[in-house]
Amino acid sequence: MSFRTGLAAGAGGALAVLSVRHLGRRALGGVVQRLEKRLERAVRDLTAKAEQGGPLVKAALAGAKALYEGKSPFRALLSFGWTALKETLARIFGRGRRGKPTNIVEQTDIGAPRRLVYDQWTLFQEYPSFMKNVESVDQADETKLNWKAKIFWSRRTWESTITEQVPDRHIVWRSKGPKGHVDGTVSFHEPAPNLTRVLLVLEYHPVGLFERTGNLWRAQGRRARLELKHFSRHVMMRSLTRPDEIEGWRGEIRDGEIVTTPK
């Protein structure tokens, strides 16, 4: 065999090998694409079935999807655990239903005249300056207030309507909000001269998983107790030092309507 003949044969063999490899890659690519499509269909089918399954089924699906998306086994395990927790809590507390109301009763005695304590209470827009969770209070009129508060890492907004207000006696309100609401009454009593007892009665209506969980742990009651302490401290440390500057609203409200206005 001549040198040219051998060279041609070698080139032909190399081309044949390259062709086989190219065809192999194409075939392998087709197999991979078919497998990916089957896997996508399987994930979709599992997702549809998981909607009818229990917490562990949904958690397992979350872990499988995490692995499918290229996450590490550790992160997939975290997805599994977190989904299991959320689904279990959702089963316990329900989804989208309103929880049972929680009744909260708190009281505090303040060493100050009842009129001064009452007047300070009616200055709602000052609340953010001494209460921990209240961020803002916008008083639209004598009966309507818009509140914004921070609860843990989340913010809450709601509107309250004063339905009854008698100076130095009591204030009754109703409220509404997307994440639960609080209806309540605060009354002012005078067990002794220059001693005022503030009695706060709340009915908390939670909405949503987070709110119902907090309801179970009585977190709202603890917050109400804490804010009442902040109010008491503010009266003792600030209001008593400048009583002439405390000008509360002394009108009267009945059935949501103003029946008397301050003179």
Side-chain angles (χ1 to χ4, degrees):
M1 179 184 296
S2 66
F3 175 76
R4 289 183 178 180
T5 303
L7 182 61
L15 289 173
V17 171
L18 290 175
S19 298
V20 170
R21 288 180 178 176
H22 178 67
L23 291 174
R25 289 195 186 98
R26 290 183 59 186
L28 181 60
V31 171
V32 170
Q33 289 180 353
R34 287 195 295 273
L35 287 175
E36 287 179 345
K37 290 181 179 179
R38 290 181 181 178
L39 183 57
E40 289 176 0
R41 285 198 297 270
V43 170
R44 286 197 298 269
D45 292 341
L46 282 173
T47 301
K49 292 179 180 179
E51 292 301 323
Q52 306 300 322
L56 292 180
V57 174
K58 295 181 180 180
L61 175 63
K65 289 178 69 176
L67 286 173
Y68 172 73
E69 292 169 357
K71 296 180 180 179
S72 68
F74 176 73
R75 293 188 64 185
L77 182 61
L78 288 179
S79 298
F80 177 91
W82 177 241
T83 303
L85 175 62
K86 289 193 296 183
E87 293 298 331
T88 301
L89 289 175
R91 283 291 183 91
I92 294 173
F93 298 109
R95 296 179 183 273
R97 299 196 302 270
R98 294 183 178 273
K100 295 177 63 176
T102 296
N103 295 316
I104 301 169
V105 180
E106 297 291 341
Q107 73 173 44
T108 186
D109 289 342
I110 305 175
R114 179 166 62 173
R115 177 172 180 138
L116 176 64
V117 175
Y118 172 84
D119 285 350
Q120 181 63 71
W121 187 279
T122 64
L123 299 178
F124 303 107
Q125 291 176 311
E126 292 187 6
Y127 283 17
S129 66
F130 59 85
M131 288 190 174
K132 181 178 180 181
N133 294 317
V134 180
E135 291 190 337
S136 66
V137 182
D138 178 27
Q139 188 159 9
D141 55 39
E142 286 78 3
T143 63
K144 300 286 186 181
L145 298 104
N146 296 304
W147 299 75
K148 182 177 180 181
K150 186 175 182 181
I151 310 299
F152 297 116
W153 57 86
S154 179
R155 282 178 168 79
R156 298 286 184 268
T157 58
W158 68 93
E159 179 189 83
S160 62
T161 301
I162 297 174
T163 59
E164 189 169 328
Q165 182 168 348
V166 179
D168 302 329
R169 298 293 180 180
H170 61 264
I171 302 173
V172 182
W173 70 90
R174 299 292 180 263
S175 69
K176 59 182 180 180
K179 297 183 179 180
H181 66 277
V182 179
D183 298 334
T185 300
V186 59
S187 57
F188 305 85
H189 310 268
E190 192 175 39
N194 294 323
L195 179 64
T196 303
R197 176 166 297 160
V198 179
L199 178 62
L200 183 65
V201 180
L202 304 175
E203 187 177 76
Y204 176 68
H205 298 262
V207 175
L209 174 61
F210 178 81
E211 294 293 332
R212 288 194 295 274
T213 305
N215 185 16
L216 176 67
W217 296 334
R218 298 295 186 267
Q220 287 74 22
R222 291 195 295 271
R223 284 200 293 270
R225 189 179 310 121
L226 179 61
E227 300 294 24
L228 198 55
K229 288 181 179 179
H230 288 325
F231 174 78
S232 176
R233 182 167 55 248
H234 181 77
V235 171
M236 295 298 295
M237 300 297 293
R238 297 289 186 271
S239 305
L240 274 176
T241 63
R242 50 184 181 93
D244 295 337
E245 299 177 16
I246 307 301
E247 297 181 1
W249 192 77
R250 302 194 61 80
E252 186 172 339
I253 298 173
R254 299 283 186 179
D255 296 324
E257 300 292 336
I258 300 172
V259 295
T260 62
T261 57
K263 296 180 180 179

